[in-house]
Amino acid sequence: MNLAAATNENLANASNTLIYSSMAVYTLAFFAHIAEWVFGSRSKVGRTAAALNDSAAGGTAAQAKAAQGGGTAVLERPKVVTRSAVGTRDVPDGPGAAGGTFKGDLWGRIAVSLTVLAFAVQAGGVVARALSVQRAPWGNMYEFSITFSTVAVGAYLVLLALKKNVRWIGLILVTVVLLDLGIATTTLYTDSDQLVPALHSYWLWIHVSTAIICGAVFFLGAVGTLLYLFRDSYESKVAGGGTPGRFATSVMERLPAAKTLDTFSYRINAAVFPLWTFTIIAGAIWAGDAWGRYWGWDPKEVWSFITWVAYAAYLHARATAGWKGRKAAYLALVAFGCWLFNYYGVNIFVTGKHSYAGV
């Protein structure tokens, strides 16, 4: 074995070690997020349930009182957000997993710090994998998976750095990342190897990198959409006089309001949709260089287009008054399901020119 081969093997082993190490740190972050939810106060979240029933009546009473008092009355406007269905009710965002308490917030900060550390270790593993093969680390599903979860965590941390209220994603994100890495290291793992001739192109850096970014951000949007459906059902039940269970109350009332979650997922999907469009165009250009045709109805091409159509339909429906709220949310989840099948289903179960799973 020559020196170069030995160096590449050492880098591959280092990559594997770093990926496993990141999984250990993500596990600690997972338990820290659990502690944030467990030790977060449940006493401060009752304001949401009260607001669901009293916001309309309270607002009217406050206005009447100000009018009767004469002089100049200054009404303190509460920080509220409106539900996606216009004209229903105003609901404040919940206080977050920490419930507004010091102990819960401390565990949340520990969880975020551990997530940052795990992200750095995992990113190091991806870089080491790239150095071991001397190419972009996206030649098979194992490499795609470890990069995908790295980008997903990176996008989450960027939102946190921008002071966005997204720490509620943390527990779900870390859980999914652990599942992703677990599947990657046990089922999808492939030894470092060189690419098939068709992939030797600078378009690999352009096309696949944008596909990974899109998938990671679409995932964050899907989390927001799923939680919106749960929160919206909870708000509707409370507004209708129902009494949700103790666990549902504790969790749901600490989440952002349904409208906030709906807006978050819509903005995320709308922001990344143009990049997904570019991903398909870049793939077509690459196909023209590699195979002499821009479009050949390969299974991967077909499902990429189906995913594009599904997200386009969601954005169109979301801009149409009759399809706001839950109907549009269901469509968004269908669109993300198309993306998941495009990744796992097509790569593993369908044979085509894009069969680079390596499993």
Side-chain angles (χ1 to χ4, degrees):
M1 180 181 296
N2 57 39
L3 180 60
T7 301
N8 291 340
E9 183 178 354
N10 290 335
L11 286 170
N13 292 334
S15 173
N16 295 339
T17 300
L18 289 170
I19 294 299
Y20 281 110
S21 298
S22 71
M23 293 176 66
V25 183
Y26 278 126
T27 301
L28 295 177
F30 169 81
F31 285 115
H33 276 297
I34 291 290
E36 180 186 16
W37 281 95
V38 170
F39 294 113
S41 172
R42 294 178 175 85
S43 62
K44 295 186 178 182
V45 298
R47 61 178 183 159
T48 304
L52 286 171
N53 294 317
D54 300 338
S55 60
T60 303
Q63 291 174 4
K65 183 177 180 180
Q68 293 173 0
T72 303
V74 179
L75 299 180
E76 182 180 351
R77 187 175 184 179
K79 182 180 180 181
V80 298
V81 292
T82 55
R83 226 168 142 245
S84 56
V86 179
T88 51
R89 64 181 75 91
D90 291 339
V91 182
D93 288 333
T101 64
F102 173 80
K103 190 173 184 180
D105 183 65
L106 176 61
W107 279 109
R109 291 178 182 275
I110 292 173
V112 172
S113 298
L114 289 170
T115 303
V116 172
L117 176 59
F119 166 76
V121 174
Q122 185 182 5
V126 173
V127 172
R129 177 78 175 197
L131 293 175
S132 71
V133 291
Q134 300 179 3
R135 57 167 173 78
W138 309 316
N140 50 63
M141 284 189 67
Y142 168 74
E143 296 174 352
F144 192 99
S145 293
I146 62 175
T147 306
F148 164 78
S149 53
T150 303
V151 175
V153 175
Y156 165 70
L157 295 178
V158 167
L159 291 175
L160 284 178
L162 295 174
K163 307 298 183 182
K164 303 298 182 181
N165 178 24
V166 294
R167 206 162 81 184
W168 45 271
I169 298 178
L171 179 59
I172 298 177
L173 173 65
V174 170
T175 303
V176 171
V177 168
L178 283 171
L179 290 173
D180 174 72
L181 293 179
I183 294 173
T185 54
T186 57
T187 304
L188 303 178
Y189 181 78
T190 305
D191 290 329
S192 300
D193 200 359
Q194 294 304 310
L195 298 174
V196 297
L199 293 181
H200 284 285
S201 171
Y202 61 88
W203 281 105
L204 174 67
W205 292 91
I206 301 173
H207 172 64
V208 183
S209 64
T210 55
I212 292 173
I213 293 172
C214 289
V217 179
F218 279 147
F219 163 73
L220 296 181
V223 172
T225 300
L226 186 63
L227 292 180
Y228 157 74
L229 291 172
F230 284 113
R231 172 74 188 210
D232 184 68
S233 295
Y234 172 80
E235 290 180 6
S236 297
K237 186 173 184 178
V238 173
T243 305
R246 188 173 181 180
F247 177 79
T249 299
S250 175
V251 174
M252 289 295 110
E253 288 185 358
R254 285 191 259 178
L255 289 174
K259 172 57 179 176
T260 301
L261 293 169
D262 182 47
T263 302
F264 169 80
S265 58
Y266 170 68
R267 289 177 177 175
I268 285 288
N269 291 327
V272 80
F273 179 73
L275 187 60
W276 182 249
T277 303
F278 171 78
T279 299
I280 296 176
I281 295 173
I285 296 174
W286 188 9
D289 292 341
W291 301 316
R293 54 48 166 195
Y294 295 102
W295 194 268
W297 299 104
D298 183 76
K300 177 69 72 172
E301 297 169 349
V302 171
W303 276 97
S304 295
F305 180 68
I306 290 175
T307 302
W308 184 92
V309 170
Y311 273 108
Y314 160 73
L315 294 175
H316 175 72
R318 188 62 177 71
T320 304
W323 274 80
K324 286 185 178 180
R326 299 184 68 86
K327 290 182 180 180
Y330 291 134
L331 189 52
L333 291 180
V334 169
F336 184 68
C338 292
W339 187 92
L340 283 179
F341 182 79
N342 185 38
Y343 173 48
Y344 285 105
V346 173
N347 283 342
I348 296 177
F349 303 112
V350 181
T351 302
K353 288 183 176 294
H354 290 80
S355 300
Y356 305 129
V359 295

